[in-house]
Structure formats: structure tokens, C-alpha cells
């Protein structure tokens, strides 16, 4: 199926389903556009298929199929062949505009989903094999509670009964009063340093979401229990708030900047499957030193772990990976540190530097992108294609030049820079010494440099 670059994932999934077809692997949020999803390597969770991003077969910026445009000809080309396609599959938008993409679809199929909770004692051993056991497996990890939510999710025959829907709670239209109350509560706990209160609040939040089946319903209306069986187009992705009522912001997407709702950082790093076990064990060691330091991520449904296949894209994943998606409180005042600021900074540096993780191109903070391009052995090929398609750098920016290692670096050094992830601290001034936060080594990963509260 061929769609325009500006089509949303929701439109793509809907049009495919009308034709009795399905996109098997895709991000969970269907508000992404086809162009944005391709440019950043957006993904769902699976070790099957052809690797991130999605299953596109070709993309182009016009109707001509001229492969090597000369300098003075319109650069409208078909990216249907390697090496161009391997550059275009994850391009950060610097090659030009993706105007059309052709996807390889599959006949519409059904899935059966069950979320099951366990303690996290054997998570390090289970995490990698679990990804091969279920086609659409993922894991939500609540380290502070020592709990893990395994998503057992597989294709099943189309004659299985069930018309389930996954309308993920976190993507639904939410009353702005509720968003405001939640944010106020979180800000209060942060401001008073009430770590215990934050843990109680996170336990309450995770229980409430679990009782509601995380947004799953067995028939589109009610959640009556597992398994939930439904068609792929109703299970893989959602985004209820995209279609929310036009009600003068009485309701909104939880992260809508026009209302005082969620405001967070998101550190998302893919770690090679061969290193994932050691990384999990390191995080567990850090957690064991102080479990309540991790309650903050549980307010955002824990650490989401997803399986991502390696890709031939030059800027794609080099190996099969486990992707760790960590969402956490961000103050509106960049000079104000988070409660247990140091702990998630240490996890971030561990993932990126000790375990050589690849940051998601469409998420993360500056520190994740500083020198990142050294992790991509085929960057030379990518830049060659970029120079052919856009020799004048019309589609590049200061940021993409920094990230791609062309000019400058992604880190910004100034007072308090580590708090916002603009830098890794190397001196106390990069933290908040006036508030008692100093630049110190990590507790488990000693090479980390993190803003630690002392005294
Ligand atoms: C609520 C939410 C949930 C998310 N869930 C997931 C998830 O499940 N999995 C995941 O991997 N990611 C997820 N993301 C991250 C998301 O995939 C990226 O932020 C993605 O880039 C967003 O797509 P967009 O259409 O908004 O692109 P934009 O943010 O508009 O653009 C992203 C990049 O793509 C380039 N670009 C956009 N369109 C084109 C085009 N037509 N031609 C060339 N370049 C183009 C832009 O220049 C830019 O560099 C989520 C984000 C949100 C906000």
C-alpha cells in the first residue's frame, strides 16, 4: 500500500484494515506520521519481521524514478534500492522530504494479549528469551516495587472469538482537571522530597491502571479479563486523545503543553540482546541500594522494555536489541533537580556508555547524542548518500550537524546543564550546589558522573 509521508499511522492502519490488510509491526502511538516514524526509526516490539522501522519497501519524494539526480535536476527519486534505501529508512529528515512510502502489508490477523505480573528476581534471565517466545512481547518493569509485567501477545487464527481493543490509558483524552491534580501531586512530592509518598502514589497509580486492564477491553467497551483477543488494527497502536472532543481543553492528551499536565524527560536506549542481562543486573544492584529512588518512573508505567530487530538502515539498530524506555519527572524550572536525580542519570550513562546503547532518534536528552555517531559503522555511507541528495544541506540544521558528527557537539556546558541532560557533569556547577547537589561518581557504574545530593 502506498501512502503519503504526512499520513498518520492511524490513517495507514485504518486504510489497510478496510482492505483486509494489516501492518504487522508499528509504534504504539498512532499519532506519528509516516515520514516522522521512518525518519526516527520508530518501532513497536517484536523480534520477527524485517527490523525497524516498520516494513517499508520504498519511499520517494516525487514520481520520477531517476536514481542519481544531478546537481541541477529536481531531486525527485525513488529510494527503492540499496544503498539509497538503507540511508532513507532512518534519515532524520536530512536527505529530503519523504512524500510517498510503499508498505508491504499482511492479511489482517488476530492477536491474543495477556498481561501477567511476576516479581523481578529472575528478570535478567527471562528478559531475552521472552522476546523469542511471543511475537509481540514486551515488558513493563517497576524496579521500586520489584515487579514485572510480562505481555504475552501472539498471533492466533482469525476464527478465534473476540473483538478486543487496546486503547492505551496513557494515550486517552483525559480531563485537564485530573491532569492538573496529578501534576500538582507530583510537584508537591518532589518539592518536599517525599520519596515515601511518591512510592505510595506510584503503587496506587500502577494498581489503578492494572485494574483497568491498561486500556484493553474485550469488546471495545468493557474489560472482563484475559486473554483479550482482537484484530491487529485494534490492538497494536492507539491514541484515543487524537479524536478527543473539541471541548475548549476540558480534556486533552496528557502531555499537551497547552495544559498543566505531564512534563517529563524520556530516556530511551536500545541495548544489544547480548548485553541486556548485564545491564538489568546493574540496574537491580543500583535499585537494591535504594529501591524508593525508582518510584518516580513507576508513575509513568515503569520502564517499558521492547524488542527491536536489527536493520540494514545505516542509522538503524546494528543488532537485535532490547529497548529501555524510561520516563520521569521534569521540573518546569531547569535549575531545580529531581528527587534522586543521580540514580536515573547513572542508569542513563550506564545504558549509553557502559553498555554502548543506541538512543532513540526521536526521544532522549542531549547527553545521549554526544558522540553517538561513533556507534554507527556505516555513517560514512549515510553521509555519502546525504551529500548526493542534499549537497547544500538544505534539509540539515545545527542540531543534525551536531548529531551526525559533521560540526559541533550535542552537549551544552553551562551552570546546571546536567539537570536537564544537556551535559554529563564534570564539575559541581553543572549540578545545583546551592541546593546541595554535587557532581559525584556513580554508585554501581563508577565511571558515571552524576548530580548527587549530599548533606
Ligand atoms: C505519545 C507518543 C508516543 C510515542 N510512541 C512511540 C513508540 O511506541 N515507538 C517509537 O519508536 N516512538 C514513539 N514515539 C516517538 C515518535 O516515534 C517520534 O517522536 C516520531 O518522530 C514522531 O513522529 P512525527 O510524525 O511526530 O515526526 P516529527 O516529530 O514531526 O519529525 C521527526 C523527524 O522526522 C522528520 N520528518 C518528519 N516528516 C518527514 C518527511 N515527510 N520527510 C522527511 N523527514 C520527515 C523531521 O524532520 C524530524 O527530523 C512516541 C511519541 C509520542 C509523542
Amino acid at each position: 500500500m502506498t501512502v503519503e509521508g504526512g499520513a498518520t499511522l492511524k490513517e495507514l492502519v485504518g486504510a489497510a484494515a478496510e482492505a483486509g490488510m494489516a501492518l504487522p509491526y508499528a509504534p504504539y502511538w498512532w499519532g506519528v506520521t509516516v515520514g516522522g516514524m521512518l525518519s526516527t526509526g520508530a518501532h513497536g516490539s517484536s523480534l520477527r519481521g524485517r527490523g525497524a522501522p516498520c516494513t517499508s519497501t520504498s519511499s520517494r519524494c516525487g514520481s520520477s524514478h531517476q536514481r542519481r539526480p544531478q546537481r541541477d535536476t529536481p531531486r525527485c527519486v525513488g529510494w527503492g534500492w540499496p544503498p539509497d534505501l538503507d540511508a532513507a529508512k532512518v534519515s532524520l529528515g536530512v536527505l529530503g522530504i519523504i512524500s510517498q512510502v510503499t508498505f508491504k502489508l499482511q492479511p489482517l490477523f488476530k492477536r491474543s494479549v495477556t498481561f501477567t505480573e511476576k516479581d523481578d528476581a529472575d528478570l535478567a534471565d527471562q528478559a531475552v528469551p521472552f522476546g523469542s517466545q511471543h511475537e509481540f512481547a514486551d515488558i513493563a518493569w517497576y524496579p521500586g516495587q520489584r515487579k514485572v509485567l510480562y505481555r504475552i501477545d501472539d498471533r492466533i487464527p482469525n476464527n478465534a472469538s473476540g473483538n478486543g481493543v487496546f486503547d492505551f490509558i496513557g494515550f486517552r483524552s483525559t480531563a485537564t482537571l485530573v491532569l492538573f491534580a496529578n501534576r500538582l501531586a507530583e510537584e508537591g512530592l518532589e518539592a518536599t522530597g517525599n520519596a515515601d509518598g511518591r512510592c505510595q502514589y506510584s503503587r496506587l497509580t500502577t494498581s489503578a491502571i492494572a485494574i483497568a486492564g491498561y486500556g484493553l477491553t474485550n469488546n471495545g467497551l468493557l474489560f472482563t479479563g484475559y486473554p483479550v483477543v482482537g484484530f491487529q488494527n485494534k490492538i497494536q497502536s492507539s491514541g484515543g486523545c487524537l479524536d478527543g472532543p473539541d471541548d475548549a481543553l476540558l480534556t486533552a492528551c496528557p502531555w499537551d503543553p497547552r495544559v498543566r499536565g505531564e512534563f517529563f524527560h524520556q530516556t530511551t536506549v536500545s541495548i544489544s540482546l547480548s548485553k541486556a542481562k548485564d545491564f538489568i543486573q546493574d540496574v537491580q544492584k543500583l535499585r537494591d541500594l535504594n529501591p524508593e529512588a525508582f518510584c518516580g518512573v513507576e508513575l509513568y508505567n515503569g520502564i517499558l522494555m521492547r524488542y527491536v530487530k536489527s536493520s540494514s538502515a545505516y542509522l538503524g539498530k546494528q543488532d537485535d536489541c532490547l529497548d529501555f524506555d524510561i520516563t520521569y519527572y521534569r521540573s518546569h524550572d531547569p535549575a531545580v533537580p529531581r528527587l534522586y536525580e543521580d540514580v536515573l542519570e547513572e542508569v542513563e550513562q550506564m545504558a549509553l556508555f557502559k553498555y554502548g546503547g543506541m538512543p532513540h532518534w526521536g526521544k532522549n536528552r542531549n547527553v545521549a547524542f554526544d558522540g553517538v555517531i561513533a556507534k554507527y559503522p556505516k555513517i560514512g555511507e549515510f553521509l555519502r548518500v546525504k551529500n548526493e541528495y542534499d549537497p547544500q544541506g538544505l534539509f540539515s540544521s545545527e542540531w543534525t550537524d551536531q548529531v551526525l558528527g559533521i560540526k559541533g557537539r550535542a552537549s551544552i556546558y553551562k551552570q546546571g546543564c546536567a539537570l536537564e541532560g544537556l551535559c554529563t557533569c564534570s564539575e559541581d556547577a553543572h549540578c545545583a550546589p546551592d541546593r546541595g547537589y554535587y557532581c559525584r561518581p556513580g554508585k554501581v557504574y563508577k565511571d558515571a558522573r552524576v548530580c548527587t545530593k549530599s548533606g
Side-chain angles (χ1 to χ4, degrees):
M1 174 175 279
T2 298
V3 298
E4 295 192 353
T8 61
L9 177 58
K10 182 181 182 202
E11 289 168 326
L12 166 60
V13 166
E18 271 177 32
M21 304 298 283
L23 184 66
Y25 311 110
Y28 288 0
W29 161 245
W30 64 20
V32 293
T33 62
V34 164
M37 161 169 96
L38 275 177
S39 300
T40 58
H43 55 82
S45 185
S46 187
L47 289 176
R48 317 268 167 93
R50 294 172 54 195
C54 22
T55 46
S56 68
T57 53
S58 68
S59 50
R60 62 184 182 171
C61 79
S63 55
S64 155
H65 276 268
Q66 181 185 351
R67 186 173 171 208
R68 299 274 174 198
Q70 298 306 304
R71 216 179 137 75
D72 297 325
T73 59
R75 290 177 181 79
C76 287
V77 291
W79 285 323
W81 309 265
D84 310 41
L85 185 62
D86 287 335
K89 272 183 189 167
V90 180
S91 69
L92 311 187
V94 299
L95 299 186
I97 296 168
I98 299 168
S99 72
Q100 284 185 5
V101 181
T102 302
F103 287 88
K104 187 174 178 186
L105 304 176
Q106 296 180 0
L108 191 55
F109 57 89
K110 273 189 164 175
R111 284 162 63 170
S112 166
V113 188
T114 298
F115 283 111
T116 178
E117 197 181 289
K118 291 194 178 160
D119 72 56
D120 74 357
D122 62 353
L123 175 64
D125 289 321
Q126 294 303 323
V128 172
F130 185 67
S132 312
Q133 288 159 12
H134 305 284
E135 183 173 2
F136 303 100
D138 75 25
I139 298 173
W141 182 19
Y142 310 108
Q145 299 177 39
R146 298 177 188 273
K147 280 195 326 202
V148 184
L149 190 71
Y150 290 94
R151 176 174 176 155
I152 298 168
D153 188 342
D154 293 287
R155 240 177 246 245
I156 52 165
N158 277 3
N159 58 9
S161 75
N163 262 316
V165 175
F166 196 1
D167 179 12
F168 178 59
I169 288 184
F171 296 162
R172 283 188 192 168
S173 236
T174 309
T176 45
L177 266 178
V178 172
L179 295 173
F180 181 61
N182 288 346
R183 177 70 190 180
L184 216 59
E186 198 182 6
E187 283 176 350
L189 293 165
E190 288 279 337
T192 52
N194 186 352
D196 184 46
R198 196 174 65 164
C199 289
Q200 289 178 29
Y201 188 36
S202 76
R203 279 193 290 272
L204 204 71
T205 308
T206 46
S207 306
I209 297 175
I211 289 165
Y214 305 92
L216 281 165
T217 50
N218 300 75
N219 54 8
L221 288 173
L222 280 177
F223 174 64
T224 51
Y226 297 117
V228 171
V229 171
F231 281 106
Q232 165 71 356
N233 61 315
K234 303 279 185 193
I235 296 283
Q236 174 66 26
S237 314
S238 67
C241 65
L242 276 184
D243 304 315
D246 190 3
D247 56 7
L249 289 178
L250 287 174
T251 58
C253 288
W255 59 90
D256 189 324
R258 294 171 300 172
V259 302
R260 198 172 176 100
E262 292 178 353
F263 189 58
F264 49 76
H265 286 298
Q266 200 162 49
T267 292
T268 304
V269 182
S270 293
I271 294 179
S272 168
L273 287 184
S274 60
K275 298 179 186 165
K277 176 177 174 175
D278 291 342
F279 172 68
I280 292 169
Q281 283 175 333
D282 266 359
V283 175
Q284 285 176 324
K285 276 184 213 154
L286 192 58
R287 181 273 313 278
D288 291 344
L289 295 176
N290 187 1
E292 66 179 21
F294 283 86
C295 291
V297 300
E298 293 164 9
L299 286 175
Y300 296 88
N301 207 26
I303 299 177
L304 176 62
M305 296 159 58
R306 292 191 280 186
Y307 300 89
V308 185
K309 259 197 88 59
S310 66
S311 158
S312 61
Y314 296 146
L315 298 184
K317 308 290 181 240
Q318 311 294 301
D319 302 311
D320 289 355
C321 289
L322 194 49
D323 183 78
F324 295 81
D325 210 327
I326 311 173
T327 308
Y328 47 100
Y329 178 82
R330 179 180 186 183
S331 169
H332 283 285
D333 180 347
V336 174
R338 249 183 348 271
L339 196 50
Y340 293 116
E341 172 81 33
D342 56 327
V343 171
L344 292 183
E345 282 183 14
E346 185 168 343
V347 172
E348 183 178 42
Q349 290 175 41
M350 239 184 228
L352 290 166
F353 308 132
K354 181 171 178 186
Y355 292 100
M358 308 282 209
H360 190 303
W361 291 116
K363 304 184 181 184
N364 286 295
R365 320 189 301 168
N366 291 44
V367 281
F369 298 109
D370 200 275
V372 69
I373 216 61
K375 295 177 182 172
Y376 292 86
K378 297 208 171 137
I379 180 62
E381 275 103 316
F382 180 82
L383 292 180
R384 252 196 309 282
V385 176
K386 170 177 156 11
N387 287 338
E388 259 180 63
Y389 282 86
D390 183 24
Q392 290 164 18
L394 287 176
F395 293 96
S396 293
S397 64
E398 190 186 354
W399 172 249
T400 57
D401 280 354
Q402 289 165 353
V403 166
L404 293 172
I406 295 170
K407 190 172 170 209
R409 58 188 295 193
S411 283
I412 296 170
Y413 287 90
K414 59 178 187 177
Q415 275 205 340
C417 56
L419 304 177
E420 279 283 284
L422 297 175
C423 70
T424 300
C425 71
S426 56
E427 53 186 76
D428 292 339
H430 294 151
C431 297
D434 51 327
R435 295 171 192 264
Y437 284 78
Y438 301 94
C439 186
R440 297 282 182 267
K443 295 188 174 70
V444 170
Y445 175 39
K446 304 287 182 200
D447 289 345
R449 290 294 174 271
V450 296
C451 295
T452 306
K453 190 165 168 67
S454 301

